[in-house]
Amino acid sequence: MTRLQDLQEQSVQLLEHCVDGLDDAAHQWTRPEIDALTLAQAARRPLLVRGEPGTGKTQLARAAAQHLRWRLLTEVIHARFEPTDLVYRFDAVRRLADAQAGLSLDDKRYWQPGVLWQAYDWAEASRYGDCRHGLHRLAGHVILIDEIDKADSDLPNSLLEVLGQRRVRVPGLNLEFGLAKDQAEPLIIITTNEERELPPAFLRRCVVLNLAPDPEQSYVDWLVSRGHAHFGAIDGHERATLGEPVLRVAAEQLEADRHEAKRAGLPPPGPAEYLDLLYAIHKLADGQPEEQMAWLIKLSAFAYVKNARPEGSTQPSQARSPVATLKVSAPGQTAA
């Protein structure tokens, strides 16, 4: 049986079916990630992952699901999200349209099981909505509830009953069920960008992992280590890579722009912007180190300096000089 505690610190896991622009994206496991996931699964508690965008919160859930060979169920939270949406949705608009078109009405088509319903009783959920088509049974489920801080306190508070009693209700179908006997306890991973404070009662029911720069590393070295996980060479695998100079100069430029933004009292760029820039360079100049550096110098301001600069302001400007001092040619030209 595959177990989370069998993961090795610093091991790199290639991720399948990625949606972030690379077919061979990878996750580099850290000891805190492994230990926090192990505790959450053993204690049957959700794992709340804190950290600014780009620190790998969502990727952690993908990597855990792939390692366990479980289905990943994802729900991205937004301001209009209803607590019941985690359990079910009823598509009344589609049902009305089908009725007006004179189609045969099967109510099971219009009930869409949410991530909690699917994870707690897949056999029942697979009789409804889109779950009836093309999904085979797996040993377990990893639930990713992404950016819970986008919702108001009703959402985390509504999870308390499910987390405490491990029971799910669908009132419209008169259904109430706990975890099916032949299903593994789902691993629930919840992410927050800290835009809204979460209720203390909810936090007490979570295992918490703070994804932040390693205090034993400089910020630049920490960024470079994340860049290596996404774009560095992996033993035994052929993959497109970005060289150490590009990863480091991109990190040094981010640190400089981050410092200027903080000094001006503006939201600073972070790991998300760093990875966005690296993805773009990878696409524009795969396998061409000089071209990569030239594109980095040319494009970094548009990735990192995002705040408007009113006239007469001392805010950072996209016209700032790059930190790179290497003599490089413009993209598409030959270096002198």
Side-chain angles (χ1 to χ4, degrees), residues 122-137:
W122 173 253
E124 182 68 25
S126 63
R127 300 171 55 208
Y128 293 88
D130 296 337
C131 294
R132 300 185 299 175
H133 308 294
L135 293 177
H136 60 283
R137 192 182 189 89

Side-chain angles (χ1 to χ4, degrees), residues 31-47:
R31 176 49 54 190
E33 290 173 345
I34 297 168
D35 291 344
L37 283 167
T38 299
L39 173 59
Q41 187 176 40
R44 303 167 70 193
R45 292 293 190 184
L47 175 63

Side-chain angles (χ1 to χ4, degrees), residues 236-247:
H237 298 278
E238 292 185 4
R239 66 196 301 245
T241 61
L242 296 177
E244 172 78 18
V246 171
L247 299 179

Side-chain angles (χ1 to χ4, degrees), residues 49-289:
V49 187
R50 304 180 117 139
E52 60 182 303
T55 51
K57 301 185 298 294
T58 302
Q59 182 173 283
L60 177 65
R62 294 215 320 262
Q66 185 174 307
H67 175 76
L68 292 169
R69 299 187 180 90
W70 288 6
R71 178 177 287 118
L72 176 63
L73 304 171
T74 301
E75 192 68 78
V76 180
I77 306 303
H78 52 79
R80 296 182 301 279
F81 198 88
E82 296 291 335
T84 54
D85 291 344
L86 290 172
V87 181
Y88 64 87
R89 294 181 177 92
F90 183 76
D91 195 343
V93 174
R94 179 182 175 189
R95 189 183 189 283
L96 177 61
D98 288 351
Q100 291 175 337
L103 301 178
S104 175
L105 300 180
D106 175 5
D107 275 357
K108 289 183 178 179
R109 294 175 56 198
Y110 310 111
W111 287 94
Q112 295 291 341
V115 294
L116 291 176
W117 184 355
Q118 295 179 52
Y120 274 83
D121 194 342
W122 173 253
E124 182 68 25
S126 63
R127 300 171 55 208
Y128 293 88
D130 296 337
C131 294
R132 300 185 299 175
H133 308 294
L135 293 177
H136 60 283
R137 192 182 189 89
L138 291 178
H141 298 83
V142 174
I143 300 175
L144 172 61
I145 302 175
D146 208 10
E147 300 186 354
I148 196 171
D149 51 315
K150 292 288 195 298
D152 60 31
S153 59
D154 287 347
L155 181 59
N157 284 335
S158 72
L159 285 171
L160 295 180
E161 181 180 4
V162 175
L163 301 180
Q165 300 182 10
R166 295 179 174 82
R167 298 195 66 80
V168 178
R169 294 183 177 87
V170 186
L173 294 172
N174 198 29
L175 287 176
E176 181 178 345
F177 46 84
L179 187 67
K181 293 181 179 179
D182 57 348
Q183 280 193 227
E185 181 86 23
L187 174 61
I188 302 175
I189 299 176
I190 303 170
T191 75
T192 174
N193 292 330
E194 311 288 6
E195 293 185 7
R196 189 192 301 264
E197 188 173 352
L198 298 172
F202 173 74
L203 291 176
R204 286 195 298 271
R205 287 166 172 79
C206 295
V207 172
V208 178
L209 171 65
N210 293 300
L211 289 183
D214 186 340
E216 297 183 358
Q217 285 183 303
S218 69
Y219 189 69
V220 167
D221 286 342
W222 179 76
L223 284 173
V224 171
S225 69
R226 291 203 52 75
H228 273 299
H230 286 265
F231 298 100
I234 299 177
D235 291 342
H237 298 278
E238 292 185 4
R239 66 196 301 245
T241 61
L242 296 177
E244 172 78 18
V246 171
L247 299 179
R248 185 158 297 277
V249 171
E252 291 171 350
Q253 183 68 69
L254 178 68
E255 184 180 50
D257 289 333
R258 186 179 176 90
H259 173 75
E260 290 300 319
K262 287 181 176 180
R263 190 171 66 174
L266 299 169
E273 286 79 11
Y274 177 69
L275 293 176
D276 283 346
L277 179 60
L278 295 183
Y279 284 139
I281 294 170
H282 161 78
K283 290 293 186 182
L284 291 166
D286 182 20
Q288 304 172 69

